[in-house]
Amino acid sequence: MSHAVANKTETEAAPNSSLKQSAAPQPANSHDAKLLNGSLARTNGLTHAASVATSSSGYGSSSAAGSNAGSGGATSSASSSSTAAVASSTALPLPPSSNGLQMPYERFRADDSSYVPIAQFYAGRSVFITGGTGFMGKVLVEKLLRSCPDIRNIYLLIRPKRGQEVSARLTELLNAPLFESLRQEKPKELSKVIPISGDITSEELGISEKDQNLLCRNVSVVFHSAATVKFDEKLKLSVTINMLGTKRLVELCHRMLSLDALIHVSTAYCNCDRTDVSEVIYAPPYNPDDIISLINWLPEDILDQLTPRLIGKRPNTYTFTKALAEHMLLKEAGNLPVAIVRPSIVTASLNEPFAGWVDNFNGPTGLVSALAKGMFRTMMCEKNYVADMVPVDIVINLMIAAAWRTATRKSNNLLIYNCCTGQRNPIIWSEFVKHAMTSVRKHPLEGCLWYPTGDLRMNRPMNTLNCIAKHFLPAYILDGVARIMGKKPFVVNVQNKIAKAVECLEYFATRQWRFKDDNVHALLHTLSPKDREIFVFDVRHINWDKYVERYVLGFREFLFKQRPESLPASRKRMLRLYYLHQLTKLVAVLLTWRFLMSRSKRLNDLWSSFLENALRMARLIPFL
């Protein structure tokens, strides 16, 4: 099978042994990126393994690093201090296939007897999932159980938490509303989920030797979605989870006897320091091993001081460590069958297991919830920029299909899938806010503090003034009233949390990226019509107006625990808040006008003259 081609590749340059930023060289000949792992050449993203160019400009020789393992055998590992990879900025593409798709993708053909349906591929297989108790992990588990009924087992890495054993945490997980249809229709399927006690931050993932052997004997597909998604996470913990956790998982995967696919979940924003992002791994600013060494020997207070300089143009440690983790995966994976899925902003489900399901206040969910409560009215945002968000079930279906494709079409390419909506079905921020505003007024939350309104601004002084006047001033007044009435004040605290969330999202709301998703589009065309119906990841089918309405109904039910039966009473309250809001605006205008008139004799004279002329016109009306 021919290799896929990238329209644009970037240099995978190994930094020197000292910690410094690496600059991508510009070789004279135009070749694609290629990383040597022992005797095996692994290509970067869609790049073609045509040749390797060596450079004498201080990057060293192409020394091997990584472990070699076939997808069905044991592994021997070898590592070196640095890894060299060379690419040109404009790789020459191979000729596309006759059907218009770049190889190794071929359109589904009804007469292709070798085609294996996705559900059939997972039949009899055991899957290992990290991050299975998180937002995406839960949807992944539910989807595999529901749509791949013959799957053998799903092993979940679960960390004991607050004295709660992993078995108790698994029971709590499976009792969530997300699994309600499975509990009613296919209760036996839930017994296929097996907890594996461990911790992504520990050596060998904190998994016992017995459980490691169990996984190595039985698992053939791995989904790695465990990560810290906190934007303001300290660098040490972010590196430990997002980078070291990935490295330790890869070490375990090298020991698996029948591994056919490893799907690593990254983020489209790991390359947010550039505006055009292709489905390739870009050269990181530092050697990942150097960053790992740094967090091991530097005190945490010194690390905190260095963090802004280390992350550079990236806004937070999350995107920084995710970028380094991708490059480390490219180096460490050897010949493991690996693919990377990069979602943009993951939001509530589109359809599965039911529309609007969400279990956290991260990202836009928290801000739209605050808007619905009448507590959020202004933020810095370029209203005409694309709001690249993608429903969680779209991402999960793509992950499942990517694992199927990785296992059934062997290739030396490490394929990357940018799971985004900005190219195929974009929605700009102003449209999203408009849909959200309409929906929160139509389906109001119980206990709204004020009528939902809001504006997107790019004028920072004006935004700051509005924050003070519309967010914090009312918050202090309400908390003052609460204290007088002997109640616990909480509004100022909530506003502080909202301000922190807005600060994290502001970077992404005031910039725009073009995430190329050719691999995702090509993968879609390799599926049979039935598989496309079962594992939907075609973002062109999203109706944003309906989606946002279901999104609002979803967080109303699943986050605020408010039943649909309470909607009539909430709508009556919303109507009262609307009239109160209009009355307040009128009073504010009158008071402002009164204040101005009292300070300006000229304005007072103009107003008196206007009223006199208006009265004269009124007297003439009966004669017209």
Side-chain angles (χ1 to χ4, degrees):
M1 182 76 64
S2 301
H3 299 292
V5 183
N7 293 327
K8 181 178 179 181
T9 58
E10 295 294 326
T11 300
E12 295 298 329
N16 297 332
S17 57
S18 59
L19 183 65
K20 66 177 183 179
Q21 287 191 320
S22 57
Q26 298 295 329
N29 54 342
S30 180
H31 290 305
D32 295 325
K34 177 176 167 184
L35 185 66
L36 294 183
N37 292 276
S39 60
L40 176 82
R42 172 172 285 280
T43 56
N44 168 7
L46 283 177
T47 55
H48 174 62
S51 63
V52 177
T54 57
S55 173
S56 57
S57 59
Y59 283 84
S61 61
S62 350
S63 53
S67 301
N68 297 331
S71 62
T75 307
S76 61
S77 65
S79 62
S80 64
S81 59
S82 65
T83 306
V86 181
S88 69
S89 59
T90 55
L92 295 175
L94 291 177
S97 60
S98 58
N99 57 16
L101 293 175
Q102 290 180 326
M103 303 297 284
Y105 293 104
E106 296 176 352
R107 290 183 182 273
F108 169 79
R109 301 192 317 273
D111 60 347
D112 184 4
S113 60
S114 65
Y115 183 86
V116 178
I118 293 179
Q120 184 179 330
F121 162 76
Y122 282 96
R125 291 180 180 272
S126 291
V127 173
F128 179 47
I129 301 174
T130 69
T133 58
F135 177 44
M136 291 176 58
K138 293 174 184 175
V139 182
L140 175 59
V141 172
E142 196 278 340
K143 177 64 176 181
L144 286 172
L145 290 176
R146 179 165 47 85
S147 298
C148 305
D150 295 323
I151 196 169
R152 185 179 177 186
N153 285 312
I154 299 177
Y155 297 100
L156 287 189
L157 183 68
I158 300 179
R159 176 171 58 92
K161 194 174 182 180
R162 292 189 290 269
Q164 192 178 26
E165 294 298 324
V166 295
S167 57
R169 289 196 66 193
L170 177 62
T171 301
E172 181 181 345
L173 170 69
L174 298 180
N175 284 330
L178 184 69
F179 296 91
E180 184 175 352
S181 61
L182 278 173
R183 287 196 301 270
Q184 293 179 356
E185 299 170 11
K186 302 177 181 179
K188 292 183 179 179
E189 295 296 310
L190 299 177
S191 63
K192 295 178 180 180
V193 185
I194 301 172
I196 299 292
S197 180
D199 188 342
I200 200 74
T201 64
S202 302
E203 290 290 338
E204 298 184 336
L205 303 178
I207 302 175
S208 67
E209 185 176 351
K210 178 182 177 182
D211 284 343
Q212 287 185 45
N213 293 333
L214 175 70
L215 296 174
C216 291
R217 286 194 309 268
N218 297 308
V219 169
S220 59
V221 178
V222 175
F223 294 99
H224 178 44
S225 64
T228 173
V229 296
K230 288 179 64 177
F231 285 172
D232 58 346
E233 190 69 83
K234 287 184 177 294
L235 182 62
K236 186 179 182 69
L237 183 56
S238 192
V239 169
T240 301
I241 296 176
N242 294 344
M243 294 175 62
L244 275 174
T246 301
K247 187 174 184 178
R248 289 160 180 162
L249 177 68
V250 171
E251 290 170 354
L252 178 63
C253 287
H254 274 298
R255 296 170 48 201
M256 292 182 178
L257 302 179
S258 56
L259 182 68
D260 285 324
L262 164 60
I263 303 301
H264 172 75
V265 181
S266 184
T267 171
Y269 295 101
C270 65
N271 299 300
C272 59
D273 56 335
R274 58 180 68 239
T275 55
D276 289 279
V277 182
S278 297
E279 292 169 306
V280 298
I281 295 176
Y282 294 95
Y286 301 103
N287 187 328
D289 291 332
D290 287 340
I291 296 296
I292 291 173
S293 298
L294 198 68
I295 66 150
N296 286 332
W297 60 267
L298 269 185
E300 192 160 349
D301 57 336
I302 303 297
L303 272 177
D304 293 341
Q305 295 176 23
L306 284 175
T307 297
R309 293 180 60 187
L310 288 173
I311 65 177
K313 295 181 180 180
R314 290 180 172 85
N316 48 55
T317 58
Y318 171 67
T319 57
F320 175 68
T321 54
K322 277 295 191 178
L324 292 173
E326 284 192 2
H327 189 267
M328 185 178 63
L329 182 64
L330 180 68
K331 185 181 80 169
E332 299 287 341
N335 60 352
L336 290 177
V338 183
I340 296 175
V341 173
R342 291 178 181 158
S344 52
I345 303 173
V346 183
T347 51
S349 62
L350 176 66
N351 293 311
E352 299 178 285
F354 30 74
W357 184 82
V358 63
D359 74 343
N360 63 79
F361 287 99
N362 295 338
T365 305
L367 299 185
V368 177
S369 300
L371 172 70
K373 276 286 189 180
M375 302 178 69
F376 179 57
R377 298 177 175 280
T378 181
M379 73 172 288
M380 288 288 292
C381 177
E382 178 49 72
K383 62 182 180 180
N384 293 319
Y385 280 177
V386 171
D388 205 315
M389 53 189 74
V390 58
V392 62
D393 49 334
I394 293 284
V395 184
I396 296 307
N397 287 330
L398 174 61
M399 288 168 57
I400 294 172
W404 163 81
R405 184 68 185 182
T406 302
T408 56
R409 294 291 189 273
K410 303 297 183 183
S411 171
N412 284 340
N413 289 349
L414 193 160
L415 291 176
I416 298 156
Y417 301 91
N418 286 342
C419 186
C420 310
T421 57
Q423 295 297 306
R424 310 283 174 181
N425 188 6
I427 179 174
I428 59 176
W429 284 107
S430 60
E431 290 177 354
F432 175 75
V433 171
K434 176 185 175 183
H435 294 326
M437 201 80 71
T438 301
S439 297
V440 298
R441 292 169 180 172
K442 182 179 179 182
H443 310 290
L445 294 174
E446 299 173 23
C448 284
L449 296 178
W450 201 253
Y451 185 72
T453 60
D455 294 294
L456 304 177
R457 295 180 170 86
M458 283 300 288
N459 185 315
R460 189 170 295 279
M462 184 62 67
N463 186 68
T464 302
L465 287 174
N466 275 273
C467 278
I468 295 171
K470 297 180 179 179
H471 291 175
F472 286 98
L473 184 59
Y476 279 104
I477 292 173
L478 289 173
D479 277 1
V481 172
R483 287 189 177 93
I484 293 172
M485 297 176 64
K487 296 181 179 180
K488 185 178 179 180
F490 69 93
V491 186
V492 172
N493 185 40
V494 171
Q495 283 296 350
N496 286 329
K497 291 181 179 179
I498 293 173
K500 190 174 182 181
V502 170
E503 183 181 355
C504 291
L505 191 62
E506 182 181 301
Y507 178 90
F508 304 95
T510 54
R511 291 165 177 79
Q512 185 167 251
W513 293 266
R514 289 180 292 275
F515 300 113
K516 297 182 180 178
D517 60 351
D518 297 335
N519 277 354
V520 176
H521 192 61
L523 176 60
L524 177 67
H525 287 285
T526 66
L527 270 60
S528 67
K530 183 177 180 180
D531 276 344
R532 288 188 213 177
E533 291 178 6
I534 299 174
F535 302 93
V536 178
F537 57 88
D538 189 350
V539 298
R540 293 172 298 181
H541 295 161
I542 300 174
N543 181 314
W544 287 110
D545 189 4
K546 292 181 179 179
Y547 171 73
V548 175
E549 182 175 7
R550 292 168 181 170
Y551 190 175
V552 169
L553 286 169
F555 70 65
R556 187 184 192 276
E557 179 177 356
F558 302 113
L559 295 181
F560 289 94
K561 311 299 181 185
Q562 297 176 7
R563 303 301 300 170
E565 292 78 14
S566 66
L567 276 172
S570 297
R571 286 174 180 144
K572 289 180 181 178
R573 178 182 174 85
M574 181 60 66
L575 186 61
R576 291 195 295 269
L577 288 175
Y578 169 75
Y579 288 126
L580 181 60
H581 175 66
Q582 299 300 331
L583 178 62
T584 303
K585 288 197 296 183
L586 178 61
V587 171
V589 169
L590 292 176
L591 289 175
T592 302
W593 184 249
R594 174 84 181 204
F595 173 78
L596 293 175
M597 287 183 61
S598 66
R599 294 301 180 105
S600 172
K601 185 177 184 302
R602 179 175 175 78
L603 193 62
N604 204 338
D605 292 341
L606 287 173
W607 178 244
S608 298
S609 177
F610 170 78
L611 287 179
E612 184 178 347
N613 289 329
L615 287 173
R616 286 176 182 174
M617 292 294 296
R619 293 192 190 102
L620 293 175
I621 289 176
F623 302 101
L624 294 179

